[in-house]
Amino acid sequence: MDVWFEDTAMGRYVAQNEAAFFERHLQYFDGQTVVQQGGQWLRSSENVVAVPRDVLMTADAMAWESHSIDVLLMPHSHETAALTQVLHEASRVLKPEGRLVLTGFNPKSLWFFSKWFDGARLPKKEHCLTLPALKQRLGDLDFEVEFGKFMVYLPAVNSQKGLRFWRFMEKAGDRWWPQCAAVYGLVLVKRMAGVTPLPEFEKILGTQTVALGAARISD
């Protein structure tokens, strides 16, 4: 897939859009531990630990310690046969309130009539989830959507001339059919359930916290 992003006209166009999406949000994470999983075409900064530029590992078996990363960037890294394991690994390595920033291909776009989704140039169609389906998977792992963006409304053309001709569809698509974009980007927050004292115990407990067991319910 890196070759498609680097060597085709449409690939470079999509890469520029996605790079702008990631860079927009990276500015808010200065000084935090940021890791980029995959996407060699995405030119990450020196402050980002990138796989495989700096280390070698797979997205479904990350070598990072649990709860050790503030921000995890995943440009299409979840679109593999090991989707469930990749998402679980992302949840494991992120700190509580950490961010998962990802991009994915939208199965509801016109692109899915093309032959690009062959598992070599782009992921296989069955590995690409609609946005509601992905959000459901992520919700099961206690991720909440903080920000979302649809990108690229051009049809599946592969020449600079075609890109210029269809460029008008960017504004039209963003206004009239955003759910049909070829790519979406998400910023997600990993939520962790906390323990909060019940109001009637606050005076007794003071600054202490307590975990209450299951209540006994009678008929």
Side-chain angles (χ1 to χ4, degrees):
M1 189 164 60
D2 292 324
V3 174
W4 183 86
F5 275 107
E6 294 174 346
D7 294 347
T8 67
M10 181 59 80
R12 290 190 293 270
Y13 180 77
V14 175
Q16 290 172 1
N17 278 265
E18 294 195 23
F21 171 78
F22 283 107
E23 289 169 5
R24 172 184 176 183
H25 297 283
L26 275 178
Q27 63 180 316
Y28 303 116
F29 306 130
D30 187 38
Q32 299 187 28
T33 304
V34 182
V35 171
Q36 176 185 318
Q37 179 68 46
Q40 296 189 64
W41 49 269
L42 186 64
R43 307 304 181 202
S44 56
S45 69
E46 295 180 356
N47 298 324
V48 177
V49 179
V51 180
R53 184 193 68 189
D54 301 314
V55 292
L56 293 176
M57 65 181 69
T58 60
D60 59 344
M62 300 185 199
W64 312 114
E65 286 282 345
S66 297
H67 314 304
S68 61
I69 296 172
D70 295 297
V71 184
L72 179 61
L73 311 179
M74 293 179 60
H76 302 280
S77 305
H78 65 289
E79 293 171 327
T80 68
L83 168 67
T84 300
Q85 182 61 27
V86 170
L87 296 180
H88 274 86
E89 279 292 275
S91 177
R92 179 186 68 80
V93 302
L94 279 172
K95 297 177 181 179
E97 304 300 313
R99 263 64 174 182
L100 172 60
V101 187
L102 60 79
T103 50
F105 290 110
N106 179 19
K108 292 187 176 294
S109 74
L110 293 175
W111 280 30
F112 270 65
F113 294 103
S114 75
K115 297 180 180 179
W116 290 346
F117 294 88
D118 56 4
R121 288 171 289 187
L122 295 181
K124 291 184 177 181
K125 294 180 180 180
E126 59 266 28
H127 296 159
C128 300
L129 297 179
T130 63
L131 189 54
L134 177 60
K135 288 167 65 176
Q136 181 178 2
R137 297 283 190 97
L138 292 164
D140 294 338
L141 295 170
D142 296 321
F143 281 106
E144 291 183 2
V145 177
E146 185 174 66
F147 180 82
K149 179 178 176 60
F150 287 106
M151 297 171 275
V152 185
Y153 297 91
L154 280 64
V157 298
N158 200 26
S159 68
Q160 290 296 337
K161 183 177 180 180
L163 289 175
R164 289 194 297 268
F165 178 82
W166 292 104
R167 195 65 177 267
F168 72 93
M169 290 189 66
E170 291 288 33
K171 289 185 178 180
D174 194 46
R175 180 180 177 86
W176 298 110
W177 53 86
Q179 69 279 4
C180 295
V183 178
Y184 55 76
L186 289 176
V187 180
L188 303 122
V189 185
K190 177 185 173 182
R191 300 298 189 192
M192 297 289 286
V195 179
T196 304
L198 296 177
E200 56 266 34
F201 292 127
E202 287 183 349
K203 292 183 179 179
I204 300 174
L205 296 173
T207 58
Q208 301 178 47
T209 58
V210 62
L212 299 178
R216 180 176 298 173
I217 302 175
S218 59
D219 296 331

